[in-house]
């Protein structure tokens, strides 16, 4: 199915870069993500295309490893930079410039960590957005976007709570976008989609026990980091379920702690940092437990 896009290599790379936001090296997944984003906001759609193209172009010009470029590894953090900035701020000319520069920097930072063989996931995106939000809030008067100030539509349906979590990974609050994102992951990896779905429900339950606002839980704001953590460790071995559960628990507890204590609000919020930190913890536990788990499973 991916051979359709392979006839247009640069388009294939860009769409895979967008798909890699949820760790899916699939151009069709990326296309569905793009459709879901455009449904939410045409500005965000343009922004994610612009930043992904910039990040990928920089990787090509700097002659990074071609197989890594082809896999979309220099697109996903750049993509998130674009959609995040268009979600947080009104898209003035300065924001469009920062989207381009941020996409380029995301690619360069990603390359540094890839060379060091450090699995940083979306951390380059987080660093750039934290810096941008801090600087722009303190030294400019750019108003927030209509998207961030709009009143979100909430639900009490468990299915939509989970799909909303998929949507919030890429800053989309609409139910339709969330469903499209879930399908987009499912067509490439059913196990990743289903683990992500269940992970978001576990995250919602833990956040409810933690006393988080029920409307924000149903919006998916306390589930999107859990979706990503579950996808990272998804698989078909018995032990995979344990790693997914641990990753989701660590991620959600970190998320709830940071939100409740207003940590990182000055730089734009927690973003996907709970996912990154929770995943790092479980990867470390995997490394420690590897000999024993290999014997048992």
């Amino acid at each position: 199915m991916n051979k359709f896009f392979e006839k247009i290599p640069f388009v294939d790379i860009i769409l895979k870069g967008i798909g890699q936001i949820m760790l899916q090296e699939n151009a069709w997944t990326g296309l569905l993500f793009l459709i879901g984003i455009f449904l939410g906001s045409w500005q965000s759609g343009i922004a994610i295309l612009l930043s992904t193209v910039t990040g990928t172009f920089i990787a090509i010009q700097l002659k990074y490893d071609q197989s890594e470029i082809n896999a979309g590894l220099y697109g996903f953090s750049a993509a998130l930079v674009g959609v995040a900035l268009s979600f947080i701020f009104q898209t003035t000319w300065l924001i469009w410039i920062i989207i381009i520069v941020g996409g380029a920097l995301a690619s360069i930072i990603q390359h540094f960590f890839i060379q060091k063989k450090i699995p940083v996931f979306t951390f380059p995106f987080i660093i750039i957005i934290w810096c941008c939000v801090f600087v722009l809030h303190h030294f400019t008067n750019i108003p927030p976007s209509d998207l961030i100030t709009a009143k979100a539509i909430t639900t009490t349906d468990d299915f939509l709570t989970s799909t909303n979590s998929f949507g919030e990974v890429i800053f989309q609050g609409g139910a339709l976008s969330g469903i499209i994102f879930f399908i987009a992951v499912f067509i490439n990896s059913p196990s990743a989609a289903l683990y992500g779905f269940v992970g978001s429900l576990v995250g919602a339950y833990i956040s409810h026990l933690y006393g988080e606002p029920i409307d924000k839980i149903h919006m998916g704001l306390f589930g999107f980091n859990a979706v990503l953590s579950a996808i990272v460790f998804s698989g078909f071995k018995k032990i995979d379920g344990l790693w997914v559960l641990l990753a989701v628990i660590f991620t959600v507890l970190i998320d709830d702690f940071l939100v409740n204590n207003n940590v990182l609000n000055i730089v734009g919020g927690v973003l996907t940092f709970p996912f990154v930190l929770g995943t790092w913890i479980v990867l470390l536990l995997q490394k420690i437990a590897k000999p024993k788990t290999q014997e048992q499973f």
Side-chain angles (χ1 to χ4, degrees), residues 49-61:
L49 276 175
L50 185 60
S51 58
T52 309
V53 167
T54 302
T56 304
F57 178 76
I58 288 296
I60 292 171
Q61 293 304 306

Side-chain angles (χ1 to χ4, degrees), residues 13-54:
I13 293 169
I14 296 305
L15 292 177
K16 283 181 179 176
I18 296 173
Q20 287 280 16
I21 291 173
M22 296 196 205
L23 296 95
Q24 306 303 304
E25 187 185 333
N26 187 302
W28 289 100
T29 298
L31 179 61
L32 287 175
F33 284 174
L34 190 59
I35 290 170
I37 292 163
F38 266 103
L39 286 174
S41 163
W42 68 265
Q43 291 99 329
S44 291
I46 296 297
I48 198 171
L49 276 175
L50 185 60
S51 58
T52 309
V53 167
T54 302

